[in-house]
Amino acid sequence: AQSVAQPEDQVNVAEGNPLTVKCTYSVSGNPYLFWYVQYPNRGLQFLLKYITGDNLVKGSYGFEAEFNKSQTSFHLKKPSALVSDSALYFCAVRDTGATDSWGKFQFGAGTQVVVTP
Amino acid sequence: GEEVAQTPKHLVRGEGQKAKLYCAPIKGHSYVFWYQQVLKNEFKFLISFQNENVFDETGMPKERFSAKCLPNSPCSLEIQATKLEDSAVYFCASSHRRPLTSGGGNEQFFGPGTRLTVL
């Protein structure tokens, strides 16, 4: 079965400092990995995804993520955080090896990012 | 349209009443997904459709939940005899092309959600 872990409930960072949001996963086949952001009372907005190819993926709003197969991780990063990056971030995985999970995402529990001025 | 639309934004029901939620996927997207987000932010997959056909319903509590995606109509998620634990935000998402034969890497586009409160 596929699973996703976001070990931190909340990440606090000062504006201008680097931001990292952690995500680890467990799948039976190859993972397709996604990051989404959720602002208050809004739906999820797609940030980036890893399907294949380069381990470093660049996405929207200056975010990037690095796929690390040996560590089964897909951490989200931003070199210089903005106050407007304060939101709830979700990591999601789609397991290509699981016949019972075709198409659907398994989401992590979410990490609240708070960027202070 | 270019966004997934969900109605209503908020829905309040007494326990035991019926609730019906609607979703209009992005035009041209053939896959629709329903997720339930409960208070602790957890997303639970409910059901997915390929056009009007059920694709995966492994997450649906079938005794009270049902869903449809009919041609030329918004998709719907209906809860008969709502319970307090059904209180959540229900998100609809859509994606284009077949999830796995395209490489499985198509992201899902989410609507703004419907907040259901069962009193």
Side-chain angles (χ1 to χ4, degrees):
Chain A
Q2 58 190 6
S3 66
V4 180
Q6 291 181 242
E8 300 155 316
D9 289 338
Q10 183 164 315
V11 169
N12 297 299
V13 63
E15 189 173 31
N17 282 358
L19 169 64
T20 299
V21 186
K22 295 180 181 176
C23 171
T24 59
Y25 64 89
S26 174
V27 295
S28 59
N30 292 318
Y32 292 150
L33 294 153
F34 303 79
W35 275 102
Y36 284 83
V37 60
Q38 185 180 29
Y39 295 98
N41 301 313
R42 301 285 298 278
L44 297 177
Q45 294 181 33
F46 170 75
L47 283 178
L48 51 77
K49 66 182 179 182
Y50 171 81
I51 305 302
T52 187
D54 289 342
N55 290 340
L56 185 63
V57 178
K58 293 189 183 295
S60 306
Y61 312 120
F63 283 94
E64 59 188 29
E66 186 165 12
F67 171 64
N68 188 317
K69 188 173 183 178
S70 62
Q71 296 185 4
T72 61
S73 68
F74 189 56
H75 301 330
L76 181 70
K77 299 180 181 182
K78 186 169 183 179
S80 177
L82 300 172
V83 172
S84 57
D85 293 328
S86 298
L88 192 55
Y89 290 79
F90 288 93
C91 181
V93 67
R94 176 181 286 152
D95 184 358
T96 63
T99 56
D100 65 346
S101 65
W102 206 26
K104 68 187 180 193
F105 285 162
Q106 179 71 43
F107 284 91
T111 298
Q112 182 69 47
V113 169
V114 178
V115 182
T116 51
Chain B
E2 292 300 314
E3 293 183 342
V4 176
Q6 288 189 250
T7 56
K9 289 183 72 173
H10 303 280
L11 190 58
V12 179
R13 288 289 179 265
E15 202 170 11
Q17 291 185 316
K18 185 170 69 176
K20 195 164 185 178
L21 292 62
Y22 296 92
C23 167
I26 293 173
K27 192 176 180 180
H29 283 192
S30 52
Y31 287 85
V32 171
F33 303 80
W34 284 99
Y35 294 88
Q36 179 194 54
Q37 185 182 30
V38 294
L39 288 177
K40 292 187 74 175
N41 299 327
E42 175 190 348
F43 275 86
K44 180 189 172 189
F45 168 78
L46 295 175
I47 191 169
S48 62
F49 288 84
Q50 179 186 7
N51 298 312
E52 64 268 25
N53 303 307
V54 174
F55 193 70
D56 178 352
E57 57 182 349
T58 53
M60 284 284 271
K62 293 180 186 176
E63 61 277 8
R64 295 185 300 110
F65 284 60
S66 63
K68 294 179 185 177
C69 274
L70 300 176
N72 303 314
S73 297
C75 296
S76 64
L77 177 68
E78 189 167 348
I79 308 173
Q80 302 285 344
T82 53
K83 296 183 177 181
L84 295 177
E85 62 259 32
D86 298 332
S87 294
V89 181
Y90 291 82
F91 287 100
C92 173
S94 69
S95 71
H96 66 88
R97 294 191 294 179
R98 189 166 177 158
L100 278 184
T101 57
S102 66
N106 291 321
E107 60 271 27
Q108 295 174 13
F109 294 83
F110 283 77
T114 293
R115 181 176 295 278
L116 172 65
T117 302
V118 181
L119 303 174

